[in-house]
């Protein structure tokens, strides 16, 4: 995709990445030590953050992206434009994309063609893809109509 097509200012992207970094500091990861922070931009411009939260029984753990989505929906916000993700063990070295389960959860609430996933190393180094590019031919609410 062309980053120019994204109707989100550079300033908002930086703000999202900074908020994702701050959320990452709250990641609860005693088992993987892989810390993830996410910042979800709502249609009205609010930013809702999330971190990953692990569990001694492993499966109940939750990813940062789903934490952000569930927080937002539980506060009555369910129109989203983009999500920024930062992740890594000690430092953030790579671009991290959402896991399959998080892609499906995001897909429930967005138009995959115009929802942007911002995978960041820092505020000036990030990669952007649409959810459609990351998760083509997905199953969604329309399939059940
Ligand atoms: N994780 C996320 O929170 N988001 C991702 O995009 C990838 C994986 C979490 C789950 C688990 O707590 C840890 O990272 C290692 O998989």
């Amino acid at each position: 995709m062309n980053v120019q097509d994204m109707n989100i200012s550079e300033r908002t992207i930086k703000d999202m990445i900074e908020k994702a970094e701050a959320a990452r500091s709250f990641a609860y990861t005693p088992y993987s030590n892989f810390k993830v922070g996410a910042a979800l931009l709502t249609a009205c411009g609010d930013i809702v953050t999330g971190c990953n939260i692990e569990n001694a029984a492993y499966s109940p753990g939750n990813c940062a992206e789903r934490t952000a989505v569930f927080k937002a929906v539980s506060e009555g916000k369910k129109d989203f434009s983009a999500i920024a993700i930062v992740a890594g063990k000690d430092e953030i070295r790579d671009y991290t994309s959402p896991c399959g389960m998080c892609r499906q959860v995001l897909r429930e609430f967005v138009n995959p063609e115009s929802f942007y996933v911002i995978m960041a190393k820092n505020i000036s180094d990030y990669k952007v893809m649409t959810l459609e590019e990351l998760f083509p031919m997905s199953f969604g609410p329309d399939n059940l109509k």
Side-chain angles (χ1 to χ4, degrees):
M1 62 141 303
N2 189 343
V3 181
Q4 261 70 283
D5 295 342
M6 194 172 35
N7 199 14
I8 301 171
S9 71
E10 194 112 318
R11 193 169 171 276
T12 300
I13 294 175
K14 284 190 168 50
D15 194 20
M16 290 171 70
I17 295 170
E18 279 173 351
K19 290 199 160 101
E21 285 170 347
R24 180 174 171 268
S25 71
F26 299 120
Y28 176 74
T29 59
Y31 309 106
S32 73
N33 194 38
F34 188 76
K35 296 180 179 300
V36 188
L40 186 62
L41 180 67
T42 70
C44 59
D46 294 338
I47 294 175
V48 181
T49 61
C51 63
N52 54 333
I53 304 167
E54 298 184 346
N55 188 279
Y58 288 26
S59 313
N62 203 45
C63 290
E65 297 89 328
R66 273 176 293 145
T67 302
V69 172
F70 295 152
K71 275 175 66 183
V73 174
S74 71
E75 293 168 7
K77 299 164 187 161
K78 53 183 172 52
D79 292 326
F80 308 126
S81 316
I83 192 167
I85 304 162
V86 294
K89 284 203 165 178
D90 298 317
E91 341 142 33
I92 302 167
R93 279 185 284 110
D94 302 311
Y95 305 113
T96 298
S97 69
C99 78
M101 206 182 283
C102 289
R103 292 176 200 202
Q104 184 68 47
V105 167
L106 286 164
R107 201 266 169 254
E108 183 70 20
F109 300 103
V110 307
N111 174 353
E113 311 258 359
S114 57
F115 179 83
Y116 299 97
V117 180
I118 302 160
M119 296 158 278
K121 291 186 186 177
N122 57 58
I123 55 166
S124 49
D125 185 356
Y126 52 85
K127 196 176 268 201
V128 185
M129 291 176 74
T130 63
L131 187 61
E132 179 63 25
E133 288 172 317
L134 282 172
F135 197 44
M137 282 212 59
S138 58
F139 182 82
D142 286 351
N143 294 101
L144 295 178
K145 283 188 178 148

